[in-house]
Amino acid sequence: MGQIILEHQTFSFNEILAGKWQVEAPYFKESLLFCQDWLSGKQEFVLKTSGSTGNPKDILVTRSQMEKSAKATAEFFKIPTQPLLLGCINTAMIGGKMMLVRAMEWDASIYLCQPSSDPLKEAWLQQPYDFVAMVPMQVESSLRSQEQTQFLRKIKTLIIGGATSSPKLVAEIKKARLNAFQTYGMTETVSHIALAKIESGDLIYSVLPEVKIGVDDQSCLWIEAPMAQEKRLQTNDIVELVAPTSFKWLGRADFIINSGGVKIHPEIIEKQIEKIIAASLGPINYFIIGEADEYLGQRAVLIIESELYQKKEQELLEVLKSNLNKYESPKKIYGIPSFQRTDSGKINRHETFKLCGLN
């Protein structure tokens, strides 16, 4: 029988449906109220988008969409009956809510905790889970601990979403030999519609059952999925189709830099320079963005999450220049102490860009 396990309380889904539960923490109260609505048959739910490419907004999703998403994920991973789950990402967002839906649809037992960067440090959460969803920050934090890494290895299926894993994190996951998958999806598709096994080579995303994909004339991905309301959902994600049901993600069209008529994909450059940045500045967060330039229209600049770079700036720019072409090579480095992030943990490039005093 399915149940939700808190640190000091356990409630069966029957008890939640009957209202035989009481918790004080607002986070758990909101989570259990959602479960009670679901178990009582509620048909529509209002969810918030992450705001990674614009202002966050509310969208209405149906029960049917969420059921289809949970069913497709179970089929994709061949989830066993009555599995053990961990709910450690924010249930106010689609990823967290879908973990609750999966638990109820799969008749699972789910350990539910307040979202934190380091959930596996809690002894009561160190369990042999069948299925877990985390954001990159949580995986990265857990991998810093030898004990927590051992528990990550025991997770039969770990999906990572909310943001794209950095090249550094992908390398660490491979080294730790985790059975981990990077997700691709959005609130409009009710969580992920494709997953990429993190293993040797490039990440290749395979779509869930009954999902169809293609590209427009700008190589941007379109999606036809039973868990989406729109018949065809057009994205701004530039991809390379590998097969009718799989693709490589290259970057976002709205992040493209037009420098002297040359189109530059920041995300591709970021992967290429990961080792150079790590060797010069250590394990820091960074991204490439376009800065207005009178001659080129835009020029590439490097934004780093650190202010301790000035002594190495010129040396680093020279190394980057020798490894990239003249348009791709950053012309300037800007450092700030902390990046702006969305509620789901994604780096908000445009808001961070503003903090640097750029235009």
Side-chain angles (χ1 to χ4, degrees):
M1 181 177 64
Q3 59 185 349
I4 290 182
I5 302 158
L6 310 180
E7 185 173 9
H8 301 296
Q9 295 172 287
T10 298
F11 302 106
S12 71
F13 292 141
N14 287 337
E15 288 174 323
I16 294 171
L17 173 61
K20 296 179 180 179
W21 58 271
Q22 187 172 359
V23 295
E24 293 185 8
Y27 178 78
F28 293 128
K29 187 175 294 185
E30 288 300 315
S31 299
L32 293 179
L33 281 171
F34 170 78
C35 291
Q36 191 170 8
D37 283 342
W38 181 272
L39 293 164
S40 65
K42 188 173 179 178
Q43 295 298 308
E44 295 182 333
F45 301 87
V46 176
L47 301 179
K48 289 187 180 295
T49 63
S50 67
S52 59
T53 58
N55 293 326
K57 61 182 179 181
D58 292 341
I59 66 169
L60 189 70
V61 301
T62 66
R63 181 187 190 90
S64 175
Q65 287 176 263
M66 300 170 89
E67 287 174 336
K68 288 173 182 175
S69 176
K71 181 174 183 289
T73 297
E75 290 178 3
F76 186 94
F77 288 115
K78 297 180 174 55
I79 299 296
T81 57
Q82 298 183 320
L84 186 64
L85 315 184
L86 170 62
C88 61
I89 57 177
N90 194 342
T91 57
M93 308 302 291
I94 182 60
K97 274 196 169 54
M98 280 307 302
M99 283 303 297
L100 297 176
V101 171
R102 291 175 192 126
M104 292 180 285
E105 289 297 292
W106 299 348
D107 196 25
S109 293
I110 181 169
Y111 281 73
L112 184 63
C113 65
Q114 296 262 13
S116 75
S117 63
D118 208 9
L120 292 180
K121 72 178 180 182
E122 303 291 341
W124 71 281
L125 294 173
Q126 295 173 347
Q127 305 291 334
Y129 299 106
D130 292 298
F131 187 88
V132 178
M134 287 185 171
V135 298
M137 177 176 60
Q138 291 174 321
V139 181
E140 192 172 335
S141 180
S142 297
L143 284 170
R144 294 192 193 112
S145 161
Q146 199 168 27
E147 180 188 22
Q148 291 176 43
T149 299
Q150 292 302 319
F151 282 101
L152 283 176
R153 288 198 184 106
K154 292 178 182 178
I155 296 171
K156 289 184 181 178
T157 300
L158 171 64
I159 64 171
I160 305 170
T164 303
S165 298
S166 68
K168 174 178 174 291
L169 178 56
V170 168
E172 290 175 349
I173 290 168
K174 292 175 182 177
K175 184 179 178 181
R177 302 186 307 280
L178 307 183
N179 189 41
F181 294 76
Q182 179 71 48
T183 69
Y184 175 87
M186 57 208 76
T187 308
E188 290 84 352
T189 59
V190 191
S191 188
H192 54 261
I193 56 92
L195 299 116
K197 178 73 181 292
I198 299 178
E199 53 190 355
S200 60
D202 293 334
L203 293 183
I204 305 295
Y205 290 85
S206 298
V207 300
L208 294 180
E210 297 186 46
V211 172
K212 296 179 181 178
I213 56 172
V215 294
D216 65 7
D217 55 5
Q218 301 297 315
S219 295
C220 288
L221 181 72
W222 57 254
I223 302 162
E224 294 179 356
M227 58 283 291
Q229 285 188 340
E230 295 182 42
K231 182 178 180 181
R232 176 173 289 189
L233 183 64
Q234 182 63 58
T235 77
N236 281 329
D237 291 302
I238 299 171
V239 304
E240 175 190 334
L241 292 182
V242 177
T245 58
S246 60
F247 62 91
K248 289 183 189 177
W249 182 83
L250 301 179
R252 289 194 60 85
D254 44 349
F255 291 163
I256 286 179
I257 302 166
N258 191 328
S259 187
V262 177
K263 290 186 177 180
I264 300 167
H265 297 280
E267 293 96 339
I268 294 176
I269 300 172
E270 289 158 12
K271 291 179 182 178
Q272 292 174 345
I273 66 174
E274 192 271 330
K275 290 182 180 179
I276 297 172
I277 298 294
S280 178
L281 301 174
I284 64 168
N285 291 305
Y286 63 92
F287 62 89
I288 300 287
I289 199 166
E291 178 182 33
D293 182 88
E294 187 175 345
Y295 176 65
L296 296 170
Q298 286 183 303
R299 65 176 188 169
V301 295
L302 174 64
I303 315 297
I304 64 172
E305 196 171 28
S306 171
E307 293 182 306
L308 305 175
Y309 69 96
Q310 287 88 349
K311 291 182 180 180
K312 297 184 177 182
E313 181 176 5
Q314 289 307 314
E315 177 186 343
L316 177 56
L317 287 173
E318 287 300 318
V319 175
L320 293 171
K321 186 177 179 180
S322 66
N323 282 271
L324 300 168
N325 72 42
K326 65 178 182 178
Y327 293 102
E328 295 174 337
S329 178
K331 307 303 184 288
K332 177 72 178 173
I333 299 175
Y334 296 93
I336 60 173
S338 181
F339 285 172
Q340 292 290 298
R341 286 173 168 78
T342 67
D343 290 341
S344 60
K346 296 177 185 175
I347 295 172
N348 191 319
R349 295 179 181 230
H350 295 301
E351 290 302 314
T352 301
F353 180 91
K354 291 178 184 177
L355 290 179
C356 296
L358 307 176
N359 51 31

